[in-house]
Amino acid sequence: MGSPAATLPVVGARYSRVVPTPSLPPRGTSTARSLPAVAAETGAVALGVAALGRLIMGPLRGFPAEDAVNVALQSHRTPARDRVTWALSTYSDTVPTIVVATALGGWRWWRGGDLRAAARPLAVIALETAVFMSAAAVVGRPRPEVIRMDRPAPTSSFPSGHTGATTALHLTIADIIAENGSRPAQFAAGAVRLAMPPLVGWSRLYRGMHHPSDVAVGLLLGVWSHRTVRRVLGAESTR
């Protein structure tokens, strides 16, 4: 049971009465109640992603129609594009992503002491990774048959974990930037939301690490991870 409701006096012309005001639940109660639902939703999303991957590998026979995209990108490689995509792909690797998320969470904690806000950067990465690893283990899709410019991770090509994690993290970063409320901050937040996920996805395609459908599903997975964590932990609240 919650704490006793507070009361406020209401004074009329000839009498006064007491009107109860609703008490708020203890902080964190709604989050705790949401965890089973989030776990169930995560399992359902992982099953859906895995089923889509098996559809590609089974009835669609690997979806060879999209291979032309990887071949075309390989034929248009240039030294300048190689350098740009190397920077984007390296930035979205596992270690840099965890470092950025940890540093951002630590800064949020130091700035305002809000544990929920501090947890969000790592939470979006953890949620995306849980679905990605579960689905990749079931799908087992090989990498595109082009010259790969990076050393591939020992996971399935489907879905793109780099794209998913980058999307989830940078949508969260954009939320933090938008807290400022100024017009330049809103513009910068929009740029981060719209630029970083597709740029990293393009770099992974360009460097021969993923098929287009891998990147597309990774991007959607990142959006879902961000929205789910935002719904459970709430929007950033400190400034």
Side-chain angles (χ1 to χ4, degrees):
M1 295 179 64
S3 58
T7 59
L8 291 175
V10 178
V11 180
R14 300 177 58 185
Y15 65 93
S16 66
R17 62 190 177 91
V18 175
V19 178
T21 58
S23 58
L24 296 176
R27 183 174 178 83
T29 300
S30 59
T31 300
R33 291 176 178 174
S34 298
L35 292 180
V38 171
E41 183 180 340
T42 301
V45 171
L47 286 174
V49 173
L52 180 58
R54 293 308 304 168
L55 175 65
I56 291 173
M57 293 303 297
L60 295 181
R61 298 182 180 180
F63 198 20
E66 65 179 347
D67 292 346
V69 175
N70 295 100
V71 173
L73 287 172
Q74 178 180 249
S75 66
H76 288 84
R77 288 174 179 170
T78 66
R81 292 171 184 166
D82 293 352
R83 289 190 293 270
V84 171
T85 57
W86 174 85
L88 289 166
S89 187
T90 302
Y91 168 73
S92 63
D93 279 343
T94 302
V95 172
T97 297
I98 293 175
V99 169
V100 171
T102 302
L104 185 60
W107 176 72
R108 293 296 291 171
W109 173 256
W110 171 81
R111 187 185 183 194
D114 187 340
L115 182 59
R116 291 155 64 97
R120 285 186 62 199
L122 281 173
V124 295
I125 300 302
L127 188 61
E128 184 276 337
T129 301
V131 175
F132 157 68
M133 293 297 291
S134 300
V138 173
V139 176
R141 189 181 195 185
R143 304 280 174 175
E145 294 184 1
V146 295
I147 297 174
R148 292 187 285 274
M149 303 178 72
D150 297 324
R151 179 179 297 178
T155 55
S156 169
S157 180
F158 181 95
S160 172
H162 282 67
T163 306
T166 296
T167 300
L169 179 59
H170 285 79
L171 290 178
T172 303
I173 291 173
D175 289 344
I176 296 172
I177 295 173
E179 283 184 344
N180 181 272
S182 67
R183 182 168 296 180
Q186 298 300 319
F187 178 82
V192 170
R193 290 188 185 100
L194 295 176
M196 283 305 299
L199 280 174
V200 169
W202 167 70
S203 74
R204 300 299 286 170
L205 290 172
Y206 178 92
R207 299 182 72 80
M209 305 309 296
H210 288 287
H211 306 272
S213 56
D214 305 339
V215 169
V217 174
L219 193 151
L220 292 175
L221 177 57
V223 171
W224 169 79
S225 300
H226 164 259
R227 290 185 174 180
T228 300
V229 171
R230 183 181 175 90
R231 183 178 74 241
V232 174
L233 296 182
E236 310 291 358
S237 58
T238 58
R239 292 188 180 183

